[in-house]
Amino acid sequence: MSDQLIILAIIYPLFVGVVTSLMPCRERLLAIWGMVHLALANLLSLGLLVQTLTEHQVTYHLSGWAPPLGIELRATVFSGLISWLISAVALVGFIGGRDTWKDQVGERLPHFLALFFLLVAAFQGLCLSNDAFNLYVMLEISSLATYGLIAFGGGRAYLATFHYIVMGTIGASFYLIGVGYLYIKTGTLNISDLAQILAGVPWTEAYILALGFLIIGLLLKMAVFPLHLWLPNAYTYAPDATSILVAPLSTKLAVFLMFRVMFDIFGGVIDDNIPSWSLFMVLLASFGILAGTSLSLAQRDLKKIFACLIVAEAGYMLGGLWLHDPRGNVGALFHLVNDAVATLVLFLVVVAVQESVGGRNLGHLSGLFRKSPLTAAALIVVAFNLIGVPPFAGFFSKATLITGAIASGRLEFVVALLLASLGNLVIFFRILERAYFPSEEPFEEKWTRSKRGDVLGALALCIGLFLIVLGLQSNTIMDLFIRPVVPL
Amino acid sequence: MSLIQSGFIYWFFVVLLMIGMYGAVGKDNLVKKLIGLSIFQTAIILFYVSIGFKNGPATIPILQGGHGEPIKDIAAASYFNPVPHVLMLTAIVVGVATVGVALAVIQRLYAEYGTLEENEILDKIANS
Amino acid sequence: MKRLALVMSILLGLLLLKGTADFPQFGDPNSPASAGHPNSSEDSHVSVRYITEAYGETHVPNLVSAILADYRNFDTMFETTVVFTAGTAIFLILRLPLGVLARRRSKAEMPRTLPPLARDPILEMACRVLFPPIQLFGLYVLTHGHYSPGGGFQAGVILGASFILLAIGFDLRGTLSRLPESVYNPFTALGVAFYIGIGLLCLVLGGNFLDYEALRQVVPLSSQEIRSQGILLVECGVTVTVGSVIFAIYTNLVSRGLHREGL
Amino acid sequence: MTWILEAFLLLFIIGVAIAALESKCLLTSSIILGAYSFMMCLIYAALGAVDVAFTEAAVGAGAGTVFFLATILRTDRKTSR
């Protein structure tokens, strides 16, 4: 049984999603149904994580054909961790988004949940598949499910979704061209096979372009600065139940995919060729960080502020991956985990704020502390994390990134990281100032305490405190999960 | 001499890709953008399909005489490479699925703003 | 924007052309894609391996079907899921909650409706005559996909198209009264569920996911025959999903998700 | 001599692709896109990909065009650019 865990981690949410679309639209029933199945999916992923820890690498041959013939799944310790992270974020997102179902989903609930589960399955597939073309299919399912989940929010979500569709499809097509260029030169699609072949070839134009197209495609999916245009609006106008799931995972999985393209496919050749690429990519990342942070500074809508922060965070990880230094890679991957959790908290806080004060503009935040202390506390926790205060995980990931950048002499990246921390300080100062020190007393009589807001605030706070655990245990986590997969 | 069954097809694929890219990015009308996207995707499909072609005695990847007695001694050089064809079946279906979702979004946009031109929609958003 | 797009596409074209110069000779039977890369071991030259061995292993002369539904059937399963996902997403986007619809109607903001179309006896008769052969052809494409071009996807689209023809030739409401949404909508999910179910059955019987060999424990057939039949089974699942999703997408798109009036 | 015919076909496809993008009427555009898809089927078939050609004819040219038509008849068929 245990050798089937890896396939079950993908198939289980998929099957549940397909069955969910046949369920009757009864809210309580569906809530319990979804919760139970996501909990079970969590157990499966956790089992996979334990298995990867004991066996270091789990492989699975689909339909019984050995790898180059059939499709192969492969889990390293890190992808085991990501797999569990996906299930866990999905469970929390499910619980956090449940309150918004009534207003935003209505009678379409079974179909909404079906897409939710399909998205989880596609994310799992993205993280576990070891076949370059299968990854494209997974990329497309996750995008299609995301389009549906964002667009049903209505209003401005439609135009945002359309932009997302155009840019997402172009990104996926670039990825497909990259895979095609690799296929015409090597004749295989299996990632391990590709790595083996590429290790001994002369590095010619077709390979450079293959790498280039794969990277451009993934940059579009990651929403790094000049290619970020789709992200802020899409995430801002998405229904809350969607953004809680999509925002923490979508761009991070693109980062993970880029890591795999760089080191699993091109691992053998990239070391000799990375310097010229690195020069450009780290510069791009530094610009991306600064641009994302300044975009965020200009916003007044809490959700949009956080959506723009995602653009900045993508820059951190991009830069870390291309630093040409193992510490940079470790930092980038640790930041990936930390950022997924932090973004989850951010978007939970958005829902909690909306429940507690009835709006999410900066103006609404006035007196949040009095109205929902737990939500305000969660906001502080995640602010500390994003600014990079020890002992939060954000501090350790940034510290690792900065040591990596200094070791490889990329001072512009260091400057961008420090400036971004400063920018985050300003952003969260503006938010927290209003939340804790309102300029005028709010009208107490008009306002009733929201129980849901408090519950969500408590949930956000719990996960936020998990960031401290992540920070205190950062070295253990890096040793256990990240250093084994980063080539030294 | 044949143009389709020669390296010239790469030029053709690149030209179609450029047309599609221009349509998808440069056009203002949402449906036109989508048409550009479709052309873009067919160009990629053409590229993959051209990978599978083989000169010489090769023919389509359906074994000859499959209805009768078991076939023996199949030479790889006598059939086109079927792998890119398999991949492109998937890509075509994915493409049409994307187009369907995008068209649904377009209908909603039209219901919301009463136009299909992107700049007019942006104007209406800015004015509201 | 236009100028930027032009520059971008020309740049893209130049890049792509630069890459094609480095490709192996067009149509070379010994190119890496067709004959395997010299750096990899002999038995991992997939294309050669598929062409020479696939018939012996699956008894399917159409190599594309064999690879699609056996060697790479995991891809195909997700491809079917893509179709299902698209159908669900379109449903979610176009079917507004009743509350929103009511608000729309009160504000008289319903999008424009088409003028009622006159019934055309010639058209209706033509549809009536065409409908059965199209469906028959769909089934032929499905079952003959092992031997000729065709398979689950094409068959599904043809079957779905036959119903679309009815909806266009007659009217949407009449078609939907014969084939209501409550009937065809479950099939969108059932096809995928059937496909996944086959995979899970293989898994329960002790094989890997979608390894048709495991089915031999319940169906006593030779290894090649069971693969051939397994391919047919999953293609049936694909057909059901694709056919019903194509029809569902059409009905939702053409009536803006309301199903009141179509073309 | 086939290359003359083929050159004609290839040029025609490029012309059709541009016409689909530049036509002032969206209905025309989408019908032209269907024609474009069918002609691409010819190319796929000429390159030996019969299954791909069949799928493109059924899915791309058939279903895709119908979806485009359904949407355009439900929205606006004119475009200024």
Side-chain angles (χ1 to χ4, degrees), chain A residues 30-173:
Chain A
L30 282 170
I32 295 169
W33 161 271
M35 214 109 82
V36 168
H37 286 299
L38 280 172
L40 284 173
N42 258 291
L43 281 184
L44 283 174
S45 308
L46 213 54
L48 176 65
L49 180 59
V50 173
Q51 199 190 354
T52 52
L53 275 177
T54 50
E55 298 173 21
H56 296 295
Q57 197 169 63
V58 182
T59 57
Y60 188 86
H61 301 166
L62 278 152
S63 35
W65 295 108
L69 279 186
I71 292 169
E72 184 193 25
L73 302 181
R74 178 180 293 252
T76 56
V77 270
F78 189 67
S79 41
L81 180 69
I82 297 291
S83 164
W84 176 66
L85 196 68
I86 293 167
S87 308
V89 169
L91 181 62
V92 176
F94 187 86
I95 298 170
R98 197 188 167 289
D99 293 326
T100 59
W101 286 356
K102 197 161 234 147
D103 312 328
Q104 297 179 354
V105 189
E107 304 86 57
R108 301 167 293 177
L109 191 56
H111 289 81
F112 164 74
L113 288 183
L115 280 190
F116 189 95
F117 275 101
L118 288 173
L119 187 57
V120 175
F123 282 157
Q124 295 280 11
L126 268 181
C127 137
L128 297 176
S129 177
N130 198 35
D131 187 276
F133 189 78
N134 194 236
L135 283 175
Y136 164 75
V137 179
M138 299 292 184
L139 211 57
E140 280 291 7
I141 297 188
S142 65
S143 319
L144 271 173
T146 314
Y147 304 151
L149 286 175
I150 291 178
F152 86 93
R156 289 193 58 183
Y158 295 133
L159 189 64
T161 312
F162 191 82
H163 287 152
Y164 187 10
I165 292 179
V166 172
M167 294 191 81
T169 310
I170 291 179
S173 300

Side-chain angles (χ1 to χ4, degrees), chain A residues 11 18 60-63 65 68-69 107-108 111 131 133-134 138 141 181 185-186 197 200 204-206 209, chain C residues 15-16 18-19 22 32 37 39 46 50 70 72-75 77-78 82 92 95 97-98 189 208-210:
Chain A
I11 293 304
V18 172
Y60 188 86
H61 301 166
L62 278 152
S63 35
W65 295 108
L69 279 186
E107 304 86 57
R108 301 167 293 177
H111 289 81
D131 187 276
F133 189 78
N134 194 236
M138 299 292 184
I141 297 188
Y181 270 48
K185 289 295 279 183
T186 62
I197 290 174
T204 51
E205 276 121 351
L209 282 170
Chain C
L15 274 177
L16 284 164
K18 197 164 160 50
D22 186 32
H37 197 277
N39 277 9
V46 278
Y50 285 141
D70 193 348
R72 295 186 70 88
N73 51 9
F74 191 61
D75 257 356
M77 186 179 85
F78 275 96
V82 165
L92 201 61
R95 193 64 56 88
L98 294 177
N208 272 0
F209 189 76
L210 280 170

